[in-house]
Amino acid sequence: MAKKPPVPAKAGNAKGDKSSVGPVQYLGQVRQEARKVVWPTWRETLTTTVLVMVMVVLMGVFFFVVDWALATIIRLVLGLGGA
């Protein structure tokens, strides 16, 4: 006999009814969750920003080289090189 999979827990309040939370209670829950967030420090933010910019530049150079190489190969194959 096959084993039944576990039933996932329902989200929402204790009754399991998602629509019974009023706007005031909802905003209170949002504030509680926002207090739990661990915000990054300025140093972490700066480090991540610099790394993202470096990766964007590297990817830009990579795609420029690949595009140039493919265009050159296609021109040579199709005889559009002009030489």
Side-chain angles (χ1 to χ4, degrees):
M1 184 192 254
K3 201 175 191 184
K4 290 185 180 180
V7 178
K10 292 183 179 180
N13 59 12
K15 296 178 185 175
D17 185 12
K18 296 178 186 177
S19 63
S20 65
V21 176
V24 175
Q25 185 179 3
Y26 173 76
L27 290 175
Q29 291 174 354
V30 168
R31 289 186 70 194
Q32 283 178 341
E33 290 299 319
R35 285 189 199 116
K36 295 178 186 178
V37 173
V38 179
W39 298 102
T41 63
W42 281 108
R43 183 175 176 88
E44 291 171 333
T45 304
L46 181 65
T47 302
T48 305
T49 302
V50 169
L51 288 174
V52 167
M53 289 181 178
V54 167
M55 288 305 297
V56 167
V57 169
L58 289 175
M59 293 304 292
V61 170
F62 170 77
F63 284 116
F64 174 79
V65 170
V66 169
D67 182 57
W68 173 80
L70 289 175
T72 302
I73 292 168
I74 289 172
R75 278 193 211 108
L76 290 173
V77 168
L78 295 178
L80 301 174

